[in-house]
Amino acid sequence: MKFVYRNSGVDASVIFTAARFRGASATPQAIRRRMDEVQSHRETAQPIREKTGGSTFKNPPDDSAWKLIDAAGCRGLKLGGAQVSEMHCNFLINTGNATGHDIEALGETVRARVRENSGTELHWEIKRIGIEPT
């Protein structure tokens, strides 16, 4: 199946209609403990209490988008009401009055700076409606 992050080796025209999953048994307490660990990690590593669209750019092969964004000096960068998260650089935050244009312009600025700094082309992970994907 060649499973990788958010993808597989299956042709895009294939539609799965059923799946069988295998899991390990655990007590409700053990499951709750693991869920709490995952939630705690997210709260310390991602701006989940902010207004974001989630992860903004796809990770390039063998690299992390946030590392490239940080290396390009974009942590905390602001444009209008939009800001690159100080906590996790691959999140764009609406600070309260960002327009769609602010978010998109900031994202394109980040993409340009990363391209200039590392030669890597970041691709949007957020689905933008009404424009051609880049």
Side-chain angles (χ1 to χ4, degrees), residues 39-48 87:
Q39 182 66 24
S40 177
H41 172 73
R42 286 187 69 225
E43 288 178 359
T44 58
Q46 298 176 0
I48 63 171
M87 179 183 275

Side-chain angles (χ1 to χ4, degrees), residues 16-59:
F16 290 94
T17 60
R20 184 179 294 175
F21 298 94
R22 218 177 315 164
S25 295
T27 66
Q29 296 83 3
I31 293 169
R32 171 54 55 200
R33 192 168 39 254
R34 179 65 183 131
M35 289 172 58
D36 290 345
E37 288 170 7
V38 170
Q39 182 66 24
S40 177
H41 172 73
R42 286 187 69 225
E43 288 178 359
T44 58
Q46 298 176 0
I48 63 171
R49 305 253 185 258
E50 303 285 346
K51 297 174 187 170
T52 77
S55 184
T56 305
F57 301 104
K58 296 176 184 177
N59 287 326

Side-chain angles (χ1 to χ4, degrees), residues 49-94:
R49 305 253 185 258
E50 303 285 346
K51 297 174 187 170
T52 77
S55 184
T56 305
F57 301 104
K58 296 176 184 177
N59 287 326
D62 303 319
D63 214 336
S64 296
W66 79 265
K67 289 179 183 177
L68 294 166
I69 295 165
D70 201 21
C74 296
R75 183 181 295 267
L77 182 66
K78 294 179 182 178
L79 197 155
Q83 179 180 4
V84 175
S85 173
E86 295 274 359
M87 179 183 275
H88 190 306
C89 298
N90 198 19
F91 286 76
L92 300 185
I93 297 171
N94 179 341

